Amino acid sequence: KEVFLYVKPKFQQITSNRILEHIIGKTKDFSMTRTLFHKDFIPLSRINVHLDFKHNDRIINDVDDFFKKNNRITIIAKGGSGKTTFLKKQYIDCLKKYNKIPVLINFREFNQYTIEKKAGEIDFKKNIIYNILLNHLVFNKISIDENIGEEMFNSGKFYFLFDGFDELELDKKSVILNDLLSFITR
């Protein structure tokens, strides 16, 4: 009976998850974009997404290699410099380059949530980033429930992309940043 209780949710996850459908849908969404020069959507592949990356005041020549070697990267640049477009391209390239499941979260969407967090809260189950990512997996039918979602996080097979931190409401930034750092550390 114990084996059945252990195997049943994993079997349900395998037979009912929609990871592939989700990735294909997002890839389709992200593969077309508008620019200042084009009124209609054009393929993202037609745009040269070139950002000059620096690390410790040195220019990064091979961005793909840098991303493979470093699993926690923050991109800081002015608005309109191409960060979001770059992240969309990273999402599309993620599977073949990094063999990971991409998840793109826009911090702007966090503005719709009421965020109340007590100072010194250490219960990881109350971590805002963790909960929003779990909800994202369950809502998009990538995971059948939160327990399987947590197992999926622990697998190391995800590639998390976060966009729009500068678009967060000021009163939410410190709580979100603390929870993001806690999530990354875990």
Side-chain angles (χ1 to χ4, degrees), residues 3 5 22 27 64 74 84 93 99 107 127 143 162 164 166 171 181 185:
V3 172
L5 292 175
H22 179 73
T27 300
D64 289 333
T74 302
T84 298
D93 293 344
N99 197 27
F107 281 121
N127 181 293
S143 173
F162 296 96
D166 58 324
D171 62 327
L181 294 173
T185 300

Side-chain angles (χ1 to χ4, degrees), residues 165-183:
F165 184 78
D166 58 324
E167 298 176 45
L168 265 174
E169 293 171 357
L170 189 59
D171 62 327
K172 296 180 178 165
K173 280 188 178 184
S174 65
V175 173
I176 297 293
L177 182 59
N178 286 335
D179 279 12
L180 177 62
L181 294 173
S182 175
F183 180 80

Side-chain angles (χ1 to χ4, degrees), residues 126-183:
K126 294 182 180 177
N127 181 293
I128 294 163
I129 302 296
Y130 171 80
N131 281 294
I132 287 176
L133 287 168
L134 271 180
N135 289 337
H136 177 80
L137 295 184
V138 173
F139 178 79
N140 289 293
K141 296 186 173 121
I142 296 169
S143 173
I144 60 168
D145 63 32
E146 292 178 359
N147 293 329
I148 295 289
E150 185 170 2
E151 285 184 37
M152 292 171 78
F153 285 156
N154 292 334
S155 74
K157 289 293 184 182
F158 283 94
Y159 189 81
F160 296 108
L161 302 158
F162 296 96
D163 188 26
F165 184 78
D166 58 324
E167 298 176 45
L168 265 174
E169 293 171 357
L170 189 59
D171 62 327
K172 296 180 178 165
K173 280 188 178 184
S174 65
V175 173
I176 297 293
L177 182 59
N178 286 335
D179 279 12
L180 177 62
L181 294 173
S182 175
F183 180 80

Side-chain angles (χ1 to χ4, degrees), residues 41-58:
F41 284 94
I42 63 165
L44 182 62
S45 60
R46 284 189 42 203
I47 299 172
N48 180 15
V49 181
H50 177 75
L51 300 175
D52 288 328
F53 287 96
K54 287 184 180 179
H55 177 54
N56 294 335
D57 292 328
R58 291 195 316 235

